[in-house]
Amino acid sequence: MSVKTEVDLSGVKKSNGVWLVKVPKYLSQQWDKAKERGEVGKITIGKKHGKTEVRFCLNEELTALGDVGEKDASLKVPRDHPFTMHAVGGQTMAAFSQSDTDGISLEGMVVHRAECRPVVNDNYMKLKKLQIRESTKPQRVSQQLERAVTTIFKPVANHDFNLEHDKKKKSEGKMVRAERQVVLDMLFSAFEKHQYYNIKDLVDITKQPVTYLKDIMREIGTYNSKGTHKSTWELKAEYRHYQSAEEEEEMQTA
Amino acid sequence: MATRNHSPGGPMFTVDYINKRDNDVGYVYYPEAEKPTTMTSLGSSTSSGTEYTVRVPKNTSKKYNIMAFNSGDKVNCSAWTQARMERDMSARRIYGEEESQDGAAGSEFGKKQREEARRKKYGIVTREFKVEDQPWILKVNGKAGKRFKGQKKGGVTENASYYIFTQCPDGAFEAFPVHGWYNFTPLAKHRTLTAEEAEEEWGRRNKVVNHFSIMLQRRFREQERGPDDEDEGEKSGKKKKKGGGRGGDLRIHDLEEDLEMSSDDSDSSMGDDGESKAKAKKDKGKGKGKKKKKKGGEHEALEDSDDGDYEGLEVDYMSDESSSDEEPEKGQPSKAEEHPKGIDEASESEEESEEEKPNEEETKEEEEEEEGKKTPVQAEKKKKKDSSGESESSDDSDIEGETASALFMKKRTPPKRGGGRGSAGSSRTGSRPGTPSIDSAATSNTLRAAASKLEQGKRPTPGPGTDSPAAKRLKMEPSSQSPAPSGKSTPQPPSGKSTPSSSDVQLTEEAVRRYLIRKPMTTKDLLKKFQTKRTGLSSEQTVNVLAQILKRLNPERKNVNDKMHFYLTE
């Protein structure tokens, strides 16, 4: 039931060409650390041997691997990244944006695809080594314990849970039979909410002893032993007037 | 050694220079600036080019996604005038458990908890319905335009991040991270068979000759279910009994009945390969006729297609008589007859104008591959192929395109289907704009329009080479198909087709030699030159004769554009 949004086609109409650039994870992480203004680096577009060459140079302050501001940074993220450009190659791609207010607009058509690659040097290799080491560490580690665990599964005369249960039972006491009429009222109001009830649930609701309750139910209701609502009690036909049941009956008689 | 080549583009750096930069990460060479930069407000100009700042805006409220189309769909976003997009929430009801309201009949106390406990016990883990992951439905150019479904592609942002770089007016680049990638595929507007129906039809594919009727039958079924369940149920039952996939549910009863009957006749008159198939067609035609009778009511007395009706027609190679027999039976309003006639003429002329032999062969193969769900257009062709191993008449793509769509109110044939077929045929069906489904009233209008158009388009029929090719063509046509066949079988219009054996071009060694001397040709081209309707030969015969001739001539071969061309030099 989502609202159909009119797509704003202004970007495409203006033939906005955009680039789709694949950026390595570490670089995008560094970009996330950028300051408010958002400047992360510079792109240089030039011609080299007749071919267009694009390179990206990361800003100095963003090269630190740790938090921005830390100076130690033994390892620095490489700065220079030439872009490998491809043409879109037949596949039509467009970029569309979705704003918080659920407005969709087509930002533009992708005219070039690029991959941002770092220049491979020793520094980069060290960085990669670190990354690999971290990723190959298993998430679950076996630890050796100094002492065996002794806090559980000792044999107990009576479990805590059972003790509590018994205490509760004693404090509540046996269920007292209330007036028949009162109970009937309770039952009818319960059956107004749902059609089928388990005897246990009814006991819970009415707080009546089981035998007494069963007695009353036998008077006003029936027990389903088969069918989808197995082992449940429901009111007798004459006592209930469910809306949908009525409609069904009407349909059948019609 | 860094050598600098001074070329018009500015000084270049050699590869050596790059490699040497080693650990000087922050060190950039700045040789003499030779070019003033265009962006004076930003960065300095290095001799390698212009520099732009890259910004990654932090505070965008917009989430960027990629909308990718398949190159084969030839989507041109700038051609869109209007577009609407929404999430496809149809999966929600699968995921969201439908809960009966409390207090409604049939609800149990504590049902929800019990269900949850049960699921936990059995370890059933249901995936949450995430709105973000739902596919998009994109509707372009309003109701009559295209529809696309955009499914999210997983794993895009796992290992690398994609950014969209746009250039701002101030020259700097802005990079926005891409949150999701959606692959948009076009949705078919025409009706397709459901999985169960498709299975059924697949099982019957060897028996069904007229694939065209599959969709018609389905539509008939649907139509029936609408108005009158029981009454129509009988009819549909009868229909199914009639064997094969004869839908017989043609909304334009008049014309289609005519066409069917005549085409059935012509079909049956084909003596060759598809005899059994012709029989099957006959049966179907009969079934259709019967059905039509019921539906039409008024035609009850007219068409009494019993088993014996078509027997004699098999022998009759010239379809003239048989068709003329049909005419009185139909007793259609003259207009209706005109249309089939006109269209037939038109189709004939159009056939001649088209060179579709190669198409046939292609389509033959295609037919064998594709089974089951077909649009009527394609099904017609298929049926043609199936029914007769003979060369068809192409006709059709045109006729199918215009009249078929008009007649049978098909929804638009997807261009894909058209694209799959032979060149001319495909281009025709493909280029046809989506024909929305039309009412019977509108259909008759369009039919008339199509017929008149065809009549205008048709050339004065060439004298020779017609009846038997025409007859052959007719046989090929599935009875349910266009008026074309029936028209052909009807008494010929003034254009007067002559006897079969005369032909414009004879397939002789001389003719082949002439062509090959003139210019190199492929086998396909040669076949095009010797069309069946002109030579009066079947496609098989033509191929055989041509092969023999080529053997005798022994032309030289050369490969042009990856195709083997023959040529002679004298």
Side-chain angles (χ1 to χ4, degrees), chain B residues 75-91:
Chain B
V75 176
N76 184 10
C77 291
S78 35
W80 296 351
T81 47
Q82 179 223 61
R84 277 185 209 276
M85 209 148 93
E86 59 174 354
R87 289 275 183 193
D88 176 18
M89 298 294 213
S90 55

Side-chain angles (χ1 to χ4, degrees), chain B residues 210 212-213 216 246 250 255-268 278 280-286 288-289 292 310 380 383-384 387 407-408 474-486:
Chain B
N210 179 23
F212 173 55
S213 64
L216 292 173
R246 259 322 179 162
L250 302 169
L255 297 164
E256 290 176 12
E257 269 177 334
D258 286 348
L259 305 176
E260 280 180 15
M261 305 316 279
S262 51
S263 60
D264 277 349
D265 288 344
S266 42
D267 284 341
S268 54
K281 260 188 285 168
K282 272 190 285 174
D283 290 343
K284 288 181 216 144
K286 267 180 273 162
K288 230 184 188 179
K292 284 248 181 81
Y310 302 109
E380 291 170 12
K383 186 177 180 221
K384 247 188 304 180
S387 50
L407 278 179
F408 306 116
L474 290 172
K475 287 175 229 150
M476 322 272 265
E477 245 101 50
S479 47
S480 63
Q481 198 198 335
S482 50
S486 67

Side-chain angles (χ1 to χ4, degrees), chain A residues 4-5 7 13 19 21 23 25 28 32 38 40-41 43 45-48 92 94 96 98 193 195-196 229, chain B residues 12-13 48 50 52 54 56 58 63 65 67 69 80 83 85 103 106-109 139 157 159 161 163 165:
Chain A
K4 215 185 274 195
T5 4
V7 176
K13 295 288 184 207
W19 289 359
V21 183
V23 172
K25 271 284 182 199
S28 62
D32 286 338
V40 294
I43 263 194
I45 304 178
K47 275 221 181 285
K48 187 176 156 101
T92 323
F96 73 97
Q98 213 185 341
K193 296 198 211 93
Q195 187 176 356
Y196 301 100
H229 308 276
Chain B
M12 307 290 201
F13 297 99
S48 63
T50 42
Y52 308 89
V54 176
V56 177
K58 289 260 169 189
K63 288 209 174 120
N65 302 288
M67 180 191 283
F69 295 94
W80 296 351
M85 209 148 93
S107 71
E108 269 186 46
F109 180 78
K139 295 178 193 162
T157 47
N159 297 320
S161 344
Y163 280 79
F165 276 49

Side-chain angles (χ1 to χ4, degrees), chain A residues 20-24 81-86 113-117:
Chain A
L20 178 66
V21 183
K22 192 174 190 182
V23 172
H81 300 269
F83 275 20
T84 323
M85 307 283 289
H86 319 284
R113 282 188 83 154
E115 283 161 22
C116 184
R117 291 166 193 278

Side-chain angles (χ1 to χ4, degrees), chain B residues 246 250 252-269 281 288 292 303 310 313 318-328 330-348 351 380 383-384 393 395-396 399 403-404 407-408 447 451 454 467 469-493 497:
Chain B
R246 259 322 179 162
L250 302 169
I252 302 185
H253 301 302
D254 302 347
L255 297 164
E256 290 176 12
E257 269 177 334
D258 286 348
L259 305 176
E260 280 180 15
M261 305 316 279
S262 51
S263 60
D264 277 349
D265 288 344
S266 42
D267 284 341
S268 54
S269 60
K281 260 188 285 168
K288 230 184 188 179
K292 284 248 181 81
E303 288 164 31
Y310 302 109
L313 298 172
M318 320 296 185
S319 49
D320 275 352
E321 297 132 33
S322 50
S323 48
S324 50
D325 285 345
E326 289 264 347
E327 290 299 321
K330 294 167 198 170
Q332 293 306 324
S334 57
K335 221 177 207 170
E337 286 181 347
E338 276 169 15
H339 290 169
K341 272 190 249 171
I343 290 165
D344 279 336
E345 293 170 39
S347 70
E348 266 185 329
E351 287 171 25
E380 291 170 12
K383 186 177 180 221
K384 247 188 304 180
S393 48
D395 67 1
D396 343 43
I399 309 205
T403 55
L407 278 179
F408 306 116
L447 179 69
L454 287 168
D467 265 0
K472 280 190 217 153
R473 258 176 276 138
L474 290 172
K475 287 175 229 150
M476 322 272 265
E477 245 101 50
S479 47
S480 63
Q481 198 198 335
S482 50
S486 67
K488 283 190 193 119
S489 56
T490 59
Q492 292 307 329
K497 318 273 190 252

Side-chain angles (χ1 to χ4, degrees), chain B residues 232-244:
Chain B
E232 301 292 330
E234 292 172 13
K235 283 191 203 169
S236 59
K238 284 212 184 95
K239 231 193 312 178
K240 283 171 193 167
K241 258 194 279 168
K242 280 312 169 181

Side-chain angles (χ1 to χ4, degrees), chain B residues 206-217:
Chain B
N206 291 318
K207 299 181 218 151
V208 174
V209 183
N210 179 23
H211 296 278
F212 173 55
S213 64
I214 294 172
M215 290 307 288
L216 292 173
Q217 195 173 21

